[in-house]
Amino acid sequence: MPNSHINKFNWFGIRTLRHRYLSATILVSIVLLFSAYFGWHYVNLTSHQQIQHINHRTDAADALSDVILQQHTLETSLQRFITLPTEENIKTIRRSFDLFEVAIKKLSNNHWIKADLALSDLVVSLSEDKSQLVNVANELIAVRRDETKWFPALNIMQERMFNHNLNFMSALDFILLESSEDLTNKSKQQTYKLANKIRHSWQKIISEFRLFVSNSFGVFSNNPGTGMQARKQNIEIYLSQLDKLLKELDQLDKQGKLDILSNKSLQDMRRWNEQWQSAYQDVYQSLSSKHWRHDLVILRDNVTPILTRIQQRSSSLQLELGVASAKNITDLTILARGLSDFVIFLAIGLSVIGVIGYFVFHRSVLKPIQGFSSALRSTASGERIDRTKLMASNAEEFQSLAKSFTDMHEQVQIRQSNLDHMAHHDALTQLPNRILLRDRLELAIARAHRDNTIIGLMFLDLDRFKQINDSLGHDTGDHLLVMVSRRLRSCVRSTDTVSRLGGDEFAIVVEGITHVDQIVSMARKVVNSFVEPFNVEKHELHSSTSVGIALGPNDDNDVDALIKDADIAMYHAKDLGRNNYKFYSAEMAKQVAEHVALENKLRHAFEHNEFFLLYQPIVDINTDEIVSTEALIRWQHPERGVVGPDEFIHSLEDSGLIRPVTQWVLTTASQQYLEFKKAGYSNTRMSVNLSGVLLKGDSILDIVINSIEKTKVDPHGLIMEITEDTLLEDFQGAEKSLSILKDMGIRIALDDFGTGQSSLSHLRLNPIDIVKIDRSFVRDIPGDSNDSDLVDAVIAMAHKLRMKVVAEGVENKEQLEFLRWHKCDAIQGYYYSKPCSGRDILKLLNEKNNKVFDNRKTE
Amino acid sequence: MKIILLLLSISFLLGEVKTTSASEPTVKAAPLKLGIFPRRRADATAKMFQPLVESLSKQLNVSIVLETTHDFASFWENVANQEYDIVHFNQYHYVKSHPNYGYRVITRNVELGYSKIAGALLVRRDSQIKSLKDLKGKKIVFGGGRGAMQAYIATTYLLRQAGLNKGDYFEQFALNPPKACIATFYRQAAAAGAGNYVLELPHVKKQINTDEMKYLAVGESMAHLPWAVKQSMPDEQATKIKNALINLINSEKGKTILKSAQITKFISSTDQDYDAHRTIIKNVLNEDFFP
């Protein structure tokens, strides 16, 4: 299922993370590079286009401003020319047209204009406007320069009215002349007067007409129309008067008062008057119309519309320039916005890629790593691994890693299982070790509480195992331990736990006990299991065990306390004698506490010089000479007084104080020996007791050498006493140390011989010089035949081994005699002297004659 | 030599036969001239209306020549000379031509679904101008020249009605109404004078974001661009032309022709439909074209 899920994201068949991320990186890089390139290209292209547009538009604006300028110049020039039609003004107009042409050409060649067909058309129209303007301007110039074309009424006046006026006046003059020939004639006088009136009226008509024409130019008023109208009315009034006068003249003619010639002049006058009035009407019509000045007509009807069109087209072009400029700005703004959007898009894109990348990374790397982490944690905490977590990625690396991890996990499980076993089991016997024992004991205590039952914890070790190990080798010892473990397992139920704590120490947890008898029975069974010898490598080994038993939760509820209790009980069992079992009691604990207190007191005592030495002489049985003195340690207890070594030697050994104390004893005894020697008793040796503890290793050698160097004592004057058990505990170590001491010249004495378990081989193999028969054998001789025979045998054996024999505890003469009879070499005991100070020994030496001894005997 | 002469004679006779046996309709009448006012570029106009001219020619069985001019002066000169038999006018030039040169309307355009059009003043939406009175002292750009019926005359009428007279604002002219609108969009003027659906024109929408523009004021809807015939044209022929134009919408081919001319359809129209224009023209330009 997970695989099918994974396959949906198979990355187009790319199977390794390296290739996937490489592909993704290349893809993203390509996209970014292409985006950047296209962005750059687009900006470059657009900005280049915009700059080109701006340049072309600037050129177009420049050309357009020239067009507008020339348009204004033309307008002004034309107006100036109308006012003042000089050649100079004509040249100005021509120049303006030339420049106008240049500006339009410049405009039409502009790229920006060319790119827009509508604008091109507009410029073409401008050019056409200009051509039309040239034509109408030429027409205007021509009209303005030709006064008849410029002022059409003038032609009427010159061609018609002028002649009519002259003819009219000529005809009138003829009548006047003819009537004036005879003014006495009443008829002629009447004609003369009437002709004069007609002359006056005509002159007024002509005068008013002149005023009428002048008014049309605005000579008298800003409002020419009003003046012209007033003059027109006057002319019409005068014409009416003239007509009336002509009628009166006509009446005279009908009465026959006019001559024939005057009659013809009257008819001429009538004709010229009518023709003049007709011309006047034409002039009036001309001056009243819009076309009274042709140049203005051309200006208004032809020039101005073209100029207006040009102005409008220029305005449109200006507008288009403005629009294009605004468009450029807008495009640039859009470009800038586009760039900004592109940057934002890019940023968002990168963020999205980052997020997607993170999720992909999370999915393809982090999640699998978490899966592995989780699997590792599960492994660490011993839980079952969820394999789907390991298969969270289909990447080859993770598949490989998952496989490696699974393999490793299996190996680790196997090793862990082995380590667990090793950590909780003894490698030799495969029994649970101390750690597992504690666990099981803890569980057993809990169960006992829950079930209201008892648990028993047995502590045991093998008696004499060390001797076996030392004498027969570790392999034999190990073999023995394996066999012991089998026997112990056979003694208990399957629910019970047999554990090896180390060395020859074992423990057994017995659960579900309802009565103490059950544990007693099992303890006996354990002790009895050692009765039958162990056959190890052709050796038949006899061993026994001492069992200490603590009961939970009666004795203690705590694991450590229970173990301690069982341990205490085991030592008490040992103290009681081997091959035994002992239940823990509160008294035992009390004794242990006392032991600890004693150790503290002993430390204090050593630091405060509470120890002192007494010396007991050893006397040659034949010569009664003091051949040596045994240094005996005493403790001047501040409360109890003098305390013997039996009460504290074990504590000194247990606490480690035995080494400094022995150093002190040896040094002090050596100094005393030197005093004896200095006093002249050079044959008297000094004997010092050594603890077996010191013979383990090189401790004793260091102590002895230190003392010798310190006191400069002759080693030949020293005797070291050891007990039989010392030899048993570490035979090889003791033999080595004793040999070195002997080589130094020190003699070795075996103290308390007979009480221990040393074999004859020990005597034979060790460099023993003197055997000291224990006082327990001497006490009942010669009365007790067994002891007597034993003492005799020991003396004989020692002598056979070329050893001197000292009998200890000699208190009476019978004992002395027996010993002398059996050729004991020397004696030590109250019979001669109890232990005393060095000074007292010196006195004894001074009084070494027999008297002293006799006196003592008497006492 | 004889053979050559014989062959030539045969070929001549065959040619004669072919010519005389052609079944194609022969155009007997004098060609009609169709003029279109320079609303667009001359070449664009020719391209747009050539299919219509060909269709009309075929239906009327009359040769029709399309004539375009690149400016109003040339166009108007032709009108004044009554050179056109059929003319597509703008409203101003139609009402001007009717009393002066006798052209009479037979049909009119429906464009983008509108059979009527109104003058409209447009401003930018973000403009501070809220009413026509706010345009006092501002620059207004009008599409086309002073002869533009909707873009100038009708919009100026709106301004007059709002109490703004000549000199109360600056006048500027764009090449056409769409350009006026675009200029205003680019803040070259405070307002644009155009038609009431200028913002719907595709090429306007293409160039600017029309959402940023709004109609400040829209005038009275008036008859759209007219098609007129010469006064001397017989009524029967005028009716044929009118029917042919109106019926274009009824065939697929006709629809294609209309699409090419960017016209939705033609509808019947009379001279009275342009009285509203005359009223406005009289008010604005002080030109009386009432019959």
Side-chain angles (χ1 to χ4, degrees):
Chain A
M1 192 64 184
N3 281 336
S4 65
H5 177 68
I6 290 164
N7 285 337
K8 283 197 288 186
F9 304 96
N10 65 1
W11 285 71
F12 309 104
I14 303 172
R15 294 190 58 77
T16 64
L17 275 179
R18 181 169 160 267
H19 288 136
R20 284 174 188 175
Y21 284 100
L22 189 64
S23 306
T25 305
I26 290 169
L27 189 65
V28 170
S29 301
I30 289 169
V31 169
L32 284 175
L33 283 172
F34 270 95
S35 301
Y37 172 73
F38 284 119
W40 171 82
H41 183 69
Y42 175 69
V43 169
N44 200 29
L45 190 68
T46 310
S47 60
H48 184 67
Q49 283 175 348
Q50 295 299 330
I51 289 165
Q52 268 193 336
H53 288 167
I54 289 166
N55 288 337
H56 294 151
R57 217 176 45 251
T58 307
D59 291 343
D62 189 38
L64 183 61
S65 71
D66 287 348
V67 168
I68 293 167
L69 178 66
Q70 292 315 314
Q71 176 206 338
H72 290 309
T73 309
L74 266 173
E75 208 168 346
T76 312
S77 303
L78 288 170
Q79 284 169 357
R80 194 182 300 137
F81 171 75
I82 286 168
T83 311
L84 200 63
T86 61
E87 283 301 319
E88 188 57 37
N89 282 337
I90 291 170
K91 284 180 184 173
T92 306
I93 291 167
R94 305 268 184 241
R95 272 201 306 275
S96 293
F97 273 121
D98 291 343
L99 290 172
F100 197 77
E101 179 66 24
V102 170
I104 286 175
K105 274 187 181 171
K106 193 176 167 189
L107 205 54
S108 63
N109 289 329
N110 182 269
H111 283 85
W112 179 69
I113 298 287
K114 279 182 178 174
D116 191 325
L117 292 174
L119 297 180
S120 293
D121 283 354
L122 192 67
V123 175
V124 169
S125 299
L126 263 177
S127 183
E128 288 173 358
D129 289 342
K130 180 251 163 192
S131 299
Q132 288 176 15
L133 192 59
V134 169
N135 293 334
V136 294
N138 286 335
E139 187 186 350
L140 181 67
I141 290 165
V143 165
R144 186 64 183 87
R145 293 173 78 179
D146 183 345
E147 289 186 345
T148 56
K149 288 182 182 174
W150 172 61
F151 191 54
L154 183 65
N155 193 34
I156 299 168
M157 287 186 283
Q158 282 180 341
E159 295 294 325
R160 293 162 63 190
M161 293 182 86
F162 181 74
N163 294 328
H164 298 333
N165 181 35
L166 286 176
N167 291 335
F168 184 87
M169 287 302 290
S170 296
L172 185 61
D173 285 345
F174 186 80
I175 290 171
L176 279 170
L177 183 67
E178 196 176 51
S179 62
S180 63
E181 287 175 354
D182 185 10
L183 289 173
T184 56
N185 185 327
K186 196 176 176 183
S187 296
K188 287 194 176 182
Q189 190 181 8
Q190 198 176 355
T191 301
Y192 183 77
K193 283 181 181 176
L194 194 58
N196 271 322
K197 282 183 182 176
I198 290 170
R199 183 190 182 94
H200 184 68
S201 288
W202 184 254
Q203 283 174 341
K204 283 202 283 189
I205 287 167
I206 297 301
S207 176
E208 283 299 319
F209 175 72
R210 285 174 182 157
L211 288 172
F212 171 77
V213 172
S214 299
N215 264 300
S216 71
F217 283 92
V219 175
F220 303 107
S221 165
N222 288 332
N223 190 358
T226 312
M228 284 173 72
Q229 201 59 34
R231 297 304 164 192
K232 181 178 175 285
Q233 284 174 2
N234 289 343
I235 289 168
E236 284 172 356
I237 290 166
Y238 293 139
L239 282 172
S240 174
Q241 287 176 354
L242 178 68
D243 192 54
K244 205 173 171 181
L245 291 170
L246 285 174
K247 278 178 181 174
E248 285 178 15
L249 195 62
D250 196 43
Q251 195 65 35
L252 288 175
D253 183 38
K254 282 176 181 176
Q255 291 170 2
K257 291 178 181 176
L258 293 180
D259 295 332
I260 295 172
L261 289 176
S262 294
N263 176 267
K264 189 180 180 297
S265 295
L266 175 63
Q267 287 175 11
D268 287 343
M269 279 172 62
R270 280 191 177 282
R271 191 173 70 249
W272 299 127
N273 175 40
E274 282 173 9
Q275 286 184 6
W276 186 92
Q277 281 196 40
S278 171
Y280 161 72
Q281 285 303 324
D282 287 347
V283 168
Y284 173 74
Q285 287 297 328
S286 176
L287 291 181
S288 299
S289 76
K290 292 177 182 176
H291 302 274
W292 73 281
R293 265 184 69 177
H294 200 184
D295 61 340
L296 295 180
V297 172
I298 293 169
L299 194 65
R300 185 189 63 234
D301 292 348
N302 299 340
V303 175
T304 304
I306 296 171
L307 284 172
T308 305
R309 278 209 306 273
I310 290 172
Q311 186 269 330
Q312 191 173 312
R313 293 189 210 281
S314 305
S315 169
S316 297
L317 264 177
Q318 274 184 317
L319 189 71
E320 287 301 316
L321 278 168
V323 169
S325 176
K327 210 170 180 179
N328 273 146
I329 291 166
T330 306
D331 288 348
L332 286 171
T333 308
I334 289 168
L335 176 67
R337 197 179 298 151
L339 273 175
S340 164
D341 291 348
F342 178 70
V343 170
I344 290 169
F345 170 78
L346 212 59
I348 292 170
L350 285 173
S351 303
V352 168
I353 288 169
V355 170
I356 291 170
Y358 169 75
F359 280 115
V360 170
F361 184 72
H362 180 266
R363 182 180 188 79
S364 59
V365 178
L366 294 182
K367 203 173 168 188
I369 287 173
Q370 279 176 351
F372 280 103
S373 174
S374 173
L376 284 169
R377 275 199 300 275
S378 300
T379 306
S381 58
E383 293 170 12
R384 195 167 166 271
I385 296 172
D386 183 359
R387 287 184 182 274
T388 57
K389 289 179 182 175
L390 296 180
M391 304 301 285
S393 171
N394 65 351
E396 215 169 73
E397 291 90 339
F398 281 105
Q399 294 286 326
S400 173
L401 189 60
K403 188 177 179 307
S404 302
F405 179 81
T406 308
D407 293 347
M408 181 206 76
H409 177 68
E410 286 170 1
Q411 291 296 321
V412 166
Q413 273 191 322
I414 292 166
R415 287 179 192 173
Q416 189 176 352
S417 176
N418 290 338
L419 283 172
D420 278 349
H421 185 82
M422 286 167 73
H424 294 96
H425 290 82
D426 172 46
L428 180 66
T429 61
Q430 298 304 313
L431 289 175
N433 62 11
R434 186 182 290 271
I435 296 166
L436 187 55
L437 174 78
R438 288 178 64 86
D439 283 347
R440 293 197 178 171
L441 191 56
E442 199 164 351
L443 290 171
I445 291 169
R447 275 197 289 269
H449 273 295
R450 188 188 65 201
D451 302 338
N452 199 22
T453 55
I454 301 168
I455 58 160
L457 174 62
M458 294 186 198
F459 253 52
L460 54 124
D461 65 2
L462 305 186
D463 300 332
R464 296 171 52 78
F465 175 73
K466 183 169 176 59
Q467 288 90 325
I468 293 167
N469 214 19
D470 290 346
S471 56
L472 300 177
H474 291 292
D475 289 342
T476 305
D478 289 347
H479 205 155
L480 175 62
L481 288 171
V482 173
M483 294 185 75
V484 167
S485 70
R486 286 177 191 156
R487 286 198 187 174
L488 288 176
R489 272 199 294 238
S490 68
C491 296
V492 301
R493 300 164 302 178
S494 60
T495 53
D496 300 329
T497 301
V498 178
S499 164
R500 185 187 171 208
L501 303 179
D504 60 339
E505 286 185 337
F506 292 87
I508 301 169
V509 178
V510 186
E511 291 188 64
I513 300 165
T514 53
H515 198 274
V516 180
D517 289 348
Q518 291 172 284
I519 192 84
V520 168
S521 167
M522 195 171 285
R524 281 180 184 154
K525 201 173 173 182
V526 168
V527 170
N528 290 335
S529 69
F530 283 75
V531 171
E532 192 179 334
F534 297 93
N535 294 314
V536 180
E537 295 171 353
K538 300 177 184 176
H539 298 286
E540 190 178 80
L541 300 177
H542 291 271
S543 184
S544 62
T545 184
S546 302
V547 181
I549 305 166
L551 298 176
N554 293 356
D555 294 334
D556 263 309
N557 286 327
D558 180 44
V559 171
D560 291 328
L562 212 56
I563 289 171
K564 190 186 77 182
D565 294 347
D567 196 31
I568 290 169
M570 184 186 77
Y571 279 101
H572 273 82
K574 274 188 188 295
D575 288 346
L576 287 175
R578 302 174 192 277
N579 211 17
N580 202 350
Y581 66 88
K582 186 72 182 170
F583 279 93
Y584 168 79
S585 67
E587 183 60 30
M588 291 177 185
K590 188 182 171 187
Q591 286 176 12
V592 170
E594 286 173 357
H595 184 72
V596 171
L598 179 60
E599 281 184 4
N600 290 334
K601 284 179 180 177
L602 286 171
R603 199 175 303 280
H604 179 270
F606 180 68
E607 289 168 359
H608 294 83
N609 300 318
E610 290 177 6
F611 291 117
F612 63 95
L613 291 180
L614 292 177
Y615 304 93
Q616 188 171 31
I618 297 169
V619 180
D620 189 301
I621 201 166
N622 298 317
T623 62
D624 282 347
E625 275 184 302
I626 297 173
V627 291
S628 64
T629 56
E630 182 182 356
L632 299 169
I633 191 167
R634 296 292 185 268
W635 177 17
Q636 184 60 52
H637 196 283
E639 295 162 4
R640 293 168 56 197
V642 175
V643 178
D646 293 344
E647 292 189 39
F648 61 82
I649 280 296
H650 280 303
S651 294
L652 285 177
E653 287 173 346
D654 291 344
S655 63
L657 280 168
I658 191 69
R659 182 186 166 101
V661 169
T662 301
Q663 179 79 62
W664 174 78
V665 168
L666 187 57
T667 304
T668 306
S670 296
Q671 287 168 345
Q672 187 61 57
Y673 165 72
L674 290 173
E675 280 186 32
F676 292 158
K677 201 172 178 181
K678 192 178 176 183
Y681 303 105
S682 55
N683 293 331
T684 302
R685 291 184 173 84
M686 179 60 76
S687 185
V688 176
N689 289 290
L690 295 181
S691 167
V693 174
L694 295 173
L695 287 173
K696 295 174 183 173
D698 298 331
S699 298
I700 189 61
L701 296 177
D702 293 339
I703 292 167
V704 171
I705 290 166
N706 269 341
S707 294
I708 289 169
E709 286 179 353
K710 191 174 178 182
T711 58
K712 309 296 181 192
V713 69
D714 180 8
H716 292 89
L718 297 176
I719 300 168
M720 300 294 163
E721 293 188 13
I722 57 169
T723 61
E724 274 184 287
D725 290 340
T726 302
L727 296 176
L728 289 174
E729 285 170 7
D730 185 9
F731 177 77
Q732 288 178 341
E735 185 190 16
K736 183 184 170 189
S737 299
L738 293 174
S739 295
I740 293 169
L741 289 175
K742 190 167 181 179
D743 289 344
M744 289 167 67
I746 297 169
R747 293 187 180 194
I748 309 299
L750 190 60
D751 199 10
D752 300 332
F753 184 77
T755 56
Q757 297 181 21
S758 59
S759 62
L760 289 174
S761 65
H762 289 152
L763 290 175
R764 184 173 58 82
L765 294 172
N766 275 295
I768 307 297
D769 297 303
I770 299 160
V771 173
K772 293 180 79 174
I773 299 170
D774 188 74
R775 66 179 72 237
S776 59
F777 298 109
V778 176
R779 185 172 57 233
D780 296 325
I781 58 171
D784 188 324
S785 60
N786 288 334
D787 287 347
S788 298
D789 289 344
L790 192 62
V791 168
D792 183 27
V794 169
I795 292 167
M797 177 197 71
H799 283 163
K800 282 287 182 189
L801 292 172
R802 289 181 292 280
M803 297 176 186
K804 295 291 184 184
V805 179
V806 176
E808 295 179 299
V810 178
E811 294 180 353
N812 51 52
K813 193 171 179 180
E814 287 77 17
Q815 291 170 333
L816 175 68
E817 287 305 324
F818 177 84
L819 292 167
R820 186 178 284 154
W821 175 255
H822 287 89
K823 296 188 178 0
C824 180
D825 297 303
I827 60 166
Q828 180 181 0
Y830 279 23
Y831 180 74
Y832 283 106
S833 172
K834 61 180 181 182
C836 55
S837 65
R839 191 178 298 158
D840 291 340
I841 293 296
L842 270 176
K843 283 179 184 174
L844 278 174
L845 288 169
N846 289 334
E847 299 166 3
K848 85 177 184 180
N849 55 49
N850 288 330
K851 278 183 182 176
V852 175
F853 296 112
D854 289 340
N855 289 339
R856 293 241 170 142
K857 281 184 274 183
T858 306
E859 287 171 6
Chain B
M1 186 65 185
K2 283 182 181 176
I3 294 170
I4 293 170
L5 285 171
L6 182 65
L7 286 171
L8 284 170
S9 303
I10 291 167
S11 64
F12 176 75
L13 285 171
L14 284 171
E16 282 294 306
V17 170
K18 190 181 176 185
T19 307
T20 52
S21 66
S23 58
E24 292 168 3
T26 52
V27 180
K28 293 173 184 175
L32 296 179
K33 196 180 277 185
L34 191 150
I36 293 176
F37 76 102
R39 184 185 185 184
R40 302 178 181 89
R41 284 173 50 81
D43 53 350
T45 304
K47 192 177 176 186
M48 285 169 68
F49 287 94
Q50 191 57 41
L52 187 143
V53 168
E54 287 169 7
S55 171
L56 209 55
S57 175
K58 200 170 181 181
Q59 288 187 61
L60 297 175
N61 199 21
V62 175
S63 174
I64 299 175
V65 178
L66 173 64
E67 189 165 311
T68 57
T69 50
H70 69 269
D71 63 6
F72 268 102
S74 309
F75 170 73
W76 191 245
E77 193 179 338
N78 291 339
V79 170
N81 294 331
Q82 298 182 46
E83 288 182 13
Y84 300 130
D85 297 290
I86 308 164
V87 197
H88 181 28
F89 281 112
N90 75 356
Q91 298 93 327
Y92 170 68
H93 287 97
Y94 167 69
V95 296
K96 195 174 175 181
S97 75
H98 181 70
N100 292 324
Y101 310 115
Y103 283 98
R104 51 196 166 105
V105 64
I106 55 169
T107 182
R108 71 171 188 263
N109 285 2
V110 174
E111 292 184 10
L112 296 172
Y114 296 95
S115 66
K116 289 187 172 184
I117 184 170
L121 283 154
L122 297 97
V123 292
R124 286 185 61 87
R125 268 190 200 285
D126 57 5
S127 163
Q128 296 300 312
I129 294 163
K130 304 297 175 197
S131 70
L132 289 173
K133 287 182 179 176
D134 295 337
L135 288 170
K136 191 167 185 178
K138 299 286 191 306
K139 187 199 278 186
I140 303 171
V141 59
F142 298 95
R146 288 191 172 81
M149 184 65 224
Q150 301 303 333
Y152 179 74
I153 299 168
T155 49
T156 304
Y157 184 60
L158 281 172
L159 292 165
R160 298 286 181 271
Q161 284 181 315
L164 294 177
N165 294 311
K166 193 168 186 177
D168 287 342
Y169 53 89
F170 297 97
E171 280 186 356
Q172 192 167 13
F173 293 93
L175 289 174
N176 50 47
K179 281 189 180 287
C181 187
I182 291 164
T184 305
F185 175 84
Y186 283 113
R187 302 176 198 277
Q188 299 303 300
N196 64 334
Y197 57 82
V198 66
L199 295 178
E200 295 175 38
L201 296 174
H203 61 286
V204 173
K205 282 188 172 179
K206 191 178 172 184
Q207 292 191 61
I208 61 169
N209 180 7
T210 52
D211 292 341
E212 292 184 25
M213 298 293 289
K214 68 173 182 181
Y215 294 102
L216 180 67
V218 178
E220 180 192 353
S221 291
M222 296 179 289
H224 218 313
L225 300 170
W227 291 71
V229 293
K230 207 174 186 176
Q231 192 177 26
S232 59
M233 182 181 281
D235 287 346
E236 188 186 355
Q237 192 174 30
T239 307
K240 274 186 181 176
I241 294 168
K242 175 182 170 181
N243 290 338
L245 290 172
I246 290 171
N247 287 329
L248 282 172
I249 191 69
N250 297 325
S251 68
E252 285 307 313
K253 193 177 177 186
K255 283 177 184 172
T256 309
I257 291 164
L258 288 169
K259 192 177 178 185
S260 168
Q262 296 184 11
I263 294 168
T264 308
K265 64 177 181 179
F266 293 101
I267 58 170
S268 179
S269 193
T270 63
D271 187 63
Q272 283 72 31
D273 292 339
Y274 294 90
D275 282 348
H277 301 76
R278 291 183 176 98
T279 305
I280 290 173
I281 291 165
K282 191 176 180 184
N283 270 283
V284 175
L285 301 177
N286 199 24
E287 294 176 15
D288 188 351
F289 296 119
F290 280 102

